[in-house]
Amino acid sequence: DAEITQSPRHKITETGRQVTLACHQTWNHNNMFWYRQDLGHGLRLIHYSYGVQDTNKGEVSDGYSVSRSNTEDLPLTLESAASSQTSVYFCASSETAAQETQYFGPGTRLLVL
Amino acid sequence: GNSVTQMEGPVTLSEEAFLTINCTYTATGYPSLFWYVQYPGEGLQLLLKATKADDKGSNKGFEATYRKETTSFHLEKGSVQVSDSAVYFCALSDSHNQGGKLIFGQGTELSVKP
């Protein structure tokens, strides 16, 4: 069965360190998204990609970067982790059209000390 | 800009009670509307969706009708179960954007007691 996976599921890091969160999907979807989930804010879009070599900034992109070298993967990098980036991170993928369902990964819980 | 507003939680109900979670939206054009559900410790999964005005989405006993005149997409279920305890998110996808970026409401936590 097709799926979307994230790793690690839990991560503790220190302020200033670079951290990369992995996202891998086997749906063969063109579109991939990264969200962060914080109490009182729902999910907010960090970055997204509509295909290989395409990346775009979302609502809360400062301090984050992504790259899309193949269809299956969209890693999220925190260049220099800050305590404000402590959150739960979700990756999602979908077909191209606007009305298509997004399929979410299980999430990565990140704690920045 | 586009936005989604949900009723605040947490909502606590007894088993077999009627559920309504309100959702209103602001959007240009004709967005698609979604309800996603998040069970404890898991990612989000689609509960139901509607892609045009007056459409009704339904799944697992839940329903929501796309009301363009009131810009609403309220979630209802006639008889909730303990297993429905979760966080529910209303979301929209702007029809003008390629590939369906979602804008989420803040989520409503539902707790159903036996």
Side-chain angles (χ1 to χ4, degrees):
Chain A
D1 284 350
E3 61 178 356
I4 180 165
T5 57
Q6 295 182 234
S7 63
R9 295 293 312 277
H10 302 271
K11 175 77 176 177
I12 301 174
T13 191
E14 295 177 342
T15 302
R17 289 190 181 269
Q18 184 180 79
V19 176
T20 296
L21 309 183
C23 174
H24 179 80
Q25 53 99 3
T26 59
W27 293 95
N28 201 36
H29 286 157
N30 285 325
N31 300 339
M32 296 185 73
F33 309 86
W34 273 104
Y35 298 90
R36 59 178 288 175
Q37 183 179 23
D38 305 286
L39 270 176
H41 290 280
L43 277 79
R44 292 179 292 175
L45 184 63
I46 305 172
H47 281 285
Y48 58 101
S49 168
Y50 290 147
V52 176
Q53 302 301 331
D54 176 74
T55 62
N56 305 279
K57 294 182 178 180
E59 177 190 1
V60 290
S61 60
D62 287 350
Y64 303 94
S65 64
V66 294
S67 60
R68 187 88 180 270
S69 58
N70 58 54
T71 300
E72 296 81 15
D73 299 290
L74 187 70
L76 177 71
T77 298
L78 286 68
E79 303 293 346
S80 177
S83 57
S84 59
Q85 295 176 308
T86 292
S87 187
V88 182
Y89 291 86
F90 288 99
C91 180
S93 71
S94 73
E95 296 283 3
T96 302
Q99 67 269 29
E100 294 297 333
T101 301
Q102 286 191 19
Y103 295 88
F104 283 78
T108 294
R109 189 174 295 273
L110 177 67
L111 175 61
V112 182
L113 299 175
Chain B
N2 297 342
S3 65
V4 176
T5 302
Q6 288 180 236
M7 65 184 286
E8 291 192 15
V11 174
T12 302
L13 295 174
S14 298
E15 206 165 23
E16 300 184 1
F18 184 86
L19 169 71
T20 300
I21 300 178
N22 290 336
C23 172
T24 57
Y25 68 90
T26 301
T28 55
Y30 302 94
S32 295
L33 300 174
F34 305 80
W35 277 101
Y36 281 82
V37 59
Q38 183 181 30
Y39 298 104
E42 298 183 9
L44 280 71
Q45 55 185 275
L46 179 71
L47 182 59
L48 53 84
K49 69 179 182 181
T51 58
K52 60 183 187 294
D54 300 324
D55 267 2
K56 177 186 284 188
S58 60
N59 186 25
K60 299 181 181 180
F62 291 89
E63 294 183 339
T65 300
Y66 187 161
R67 301 286 189 200
K68 188 168 175 62
E69 64 276 13
T70 54
T71 61
S72 64
F73 193 55
H74 304 321
L75 182 68
E76 297 182 335
K77 186 175 185 183
S79 176
V80 294
Q81 305 300 313
V82 172
S83 58
D84 293 327
S85 298
V87 181
Y88 293 81
F89 292 92
C90 185
L92 71 81
S93 174
D94 186 346
S95 59
H96 291 291
N97 80 65
Q98 173 194 355
K101 290 184 295 177
L102 289 175
I103 296 171
F104 286 91
Q106 70 270 38
T108 302
E109 183 180 0
L110 171 66
S111 177
V112 181
K113 306 297 184 186

